[in-house]
Amino acid sequence: MRVGMLTGGGDCPGLNAVIRGAVRKGVSTYGHEFVGFRDGWRGPLDNDTITLDINAVRGILPRGGTILGSSRTNPFAIENGVERIKDNLAANGCDALIAIGGEDTLGVATKLADLGVNVVGVPKTIDNDLSGTDFTFGFDTAVNIAMEAIDRLHTTAESHHRVLVVEVMGRHAGWIALHAGLAGGANIILIPERPFDIDKVCAQVESRFATHYSPIIVVSEGAVPADGGSMSLVSGQKDAFGHVRLGGIGDRLASEIEQRTGQEARAVVLGHIQRGGTPTAFDRWLATRFGLHAIQAVHEGDFGKMVALRGTDIERVPLSEGTKELKVVRPELYEEAEVLFG
Ligand code: F6P
């Protein structure tokens, strides 16, 4: 069999581990060959390929990013996009395709599977917001990076008696903020699922200073104030899947807190630092297993499926299940953390 492989959407630590796992098992156990498509769906659209053999995957396990490159290309927004993909898969002799990506990439994979393309999906996103799987790889690395930043910010905030606001990624789901905030001992965590009350935030800031500590606030980029969104910022730019570019809530929040409480407040935006560099052990473990199971699904001809973590087992679920809804933070999980605020 010849198997195509691509990585789409925002990159995340662990993508190379998936590629390596699939190629190593595919070649050594099943005798399959691979074709790497560059930059997500752009690769099969433009027939842009790279060699993907055992040599190509040597030494990539600890490397962040993706050796295949990535993009947010949407073939359904391009004229004859689907036909071009089908033609180029055929031209490369591909019997199947492994698509590694988040809601957008897997959304495209789901539609292609319905149109008869032999595709198996692997879920990835640092946001951890895909349904159908308990965790996505990349999330644990992002949380650890954010936690380390919070640890460092505690000591400098204390020295200067300042509020420090840490903006983390998370457009619609606050998983990174919640997990990193809990692990780093943040005093307030603000997430998109729970519009925040600025008066309450300021009261918590003041109560923190009253006990001679400096507050650390972790805020998801997609968090919004309860009173109508005057503090949220979007750049107006949209990607091929229609997502607006977020950013700026940390700064807006810091200046609002400073104005209202008189306490000096600064913001730190972690941005793409959360997506870069080497994956944690957990992410390498999960991504490698996803790769091994994805090629097994391909070998068995079990197409239209996505590999998923359920407990400690890797299972296969219909591709549509991974993208049918966003997995957001449940109210009881947020309330559990709220006990520690202020
Ligand atoms: O989807 C993953 C993610 O990192 C989001 O948390 C973030 O909003 C978005 O990607 C940023 O996208 P880009 O790297 O294209 O700016």
Side-chain angles (χ1 to χ4, degrees):
M1 258 178 134
R2 267 172 81 77
V3 185
M5 201 167 346
L6 62 82
T7 52
D11 71 333
C12 83
L15 286 168
N16 287 325
V18 179
I19 298 167
R20 171 182 171 270
V23 170
R24 288 279 299 271
K25 181 168 175 174
V27 172
S28 63
T29 307
Y30 303 127
H32 295 330
E33 289 176 357
F34 289 84
V35 178
F37 288 102
R38 283 187 210 266
D39 302 342
W41 294 112
R42 195 194 64 72
L45 270 171
D46 296 346
N47 199 20
D48 192 355
T49 63
I50 59 167
T51 306
L52 197 54
D53 55 14
I54 296 281
N55 262 340
V57 301
R58 261 203 190 114
I60 66 171
L61 176 62
R63 260 175 67 187
T66 160
I67 59 165
L68 296 177
S70 192
S71 73
R72 295 190 185 274
T73 308
N74 180 0
F76 285 91
I78 293 169
E79 212 182 315
N80 299 326
V82 174
E83 289 70 28
R84 278 165 59 188
I85 286 181
K86 283 184 168 178
D87 289 349
N88 288 328
L89 287 174
N92 284 284
C94 290
D95 309 290
L97 181 69
I98 296 178
I100 311 166
E103 59 167 318
D104 299 327
T105 305
L106 295 181
V108 170
T110 307
K111 288 192 209 163
L112 289 177
D114 291 343
L115 294 170
V117 177
N118 291 338
V119 56
V120 167
V122 176
K124 72 85 222 175
T125 165
I126 64 162
D127 296 346
N128 197 40
D129 58 1
L130 285 180
S131 55
T133 183
D134 289 354
F135 284 101
T136 49
F137 62 88
F139 172 65
D140 186 63
T141 306
V143 167
N144 275 283
I145 291 167
M147 178 196 73
E148 195 190 319
I150 295 164
D151 287 349
R152 289 175 188 278
L153 292 171
H154 271 297
T155 62
T156 176
E158 294 299 345
S159 306
H160 291 271
H161 318 291
R162 285 176 178 146
V163 182
L164 279 173
V165 179
V166 191
E167 182 182 311
V168 297
M169 280 188 169
R171 265 198 276 246
H172 309 292
W175 293 109
I176 297 178
L178 183 68
H179 283 228
L182 270 180
N187 310 109
I188 302 168
I189 301 169
L190 305 175
I191 62 174
E193 294 88 334
R194 180 71 70 107
F196 62 86
D197 174 350
I198 187 67
D199 293 326
K200 195 169 163 192
V201 169
C202 289
Q204 286 167 329
V205 163
E206 277 165 343
S207 90
R208 187 72 182 170
F209 275 118
T211 56
H212 307 291
Y213 284 107
S214 297
I216 303 287
I217 302 175
V218 180
V219 59
S220 304
E221 61 183 344
V224 287
D227 66 2
S230 60
M231 253 186 279
S232 59
L233 265 195
V234 293
S235 72
Q237 282 176 290
K238 285 189 182 173
D239 66 21
F241 290 91
H243 303 297
V244 288
R245 186 177 295 174
L246 293 175
I249 186 66
D251 268 329
R252 299 292 289 267
L253 193 59
S255 70
E256 194 78 17
I257 290 169
E258 200 166 275
Q259 271 174 34
R260 288 172 181 243
T261 66
Q263 302 284 358
E264 187 185 1
R266 302 280 185 92
V268 175
V269 181
L270 295 187
H272 292 86
I273 289 171
Q274 294 158 96
R275 291 215 315 238
T278 191
T280 58
F282 179 85
D283 282 339
R284 295 183 198 192
W285 168 85
L286 179 58
T288 298
R289 293 185 72 207
F290 274 172
L292 298 173
H293 283 260
I295 192 60
Q296 190 176 335
V298 166
H299 184 72
E300 291 171 9
D302 196 6
F303 300 117
K305 296 283 174 61
M306 172 187 105
V307 292
L309 181 70
R310 299 279 173 94
T312 55
D313 292 335
I314 308 293
E315 297 182 2
R316 292 178 205 160
V317 300
L319 259 173
S320 54
E321 214 172 290
T323 50
K324 75 169 187 251
E325 60 185 4
L326 275 188
K327 184 177 68 187
V328 293
V329 174
R330 296 193 309 278
E332 59 271 28
L333 285 178
Y334 188 74
E335 280 146 26
E336 185 181 88
E338 234 176 353
V339 172
L340 301 169
F341 291 5

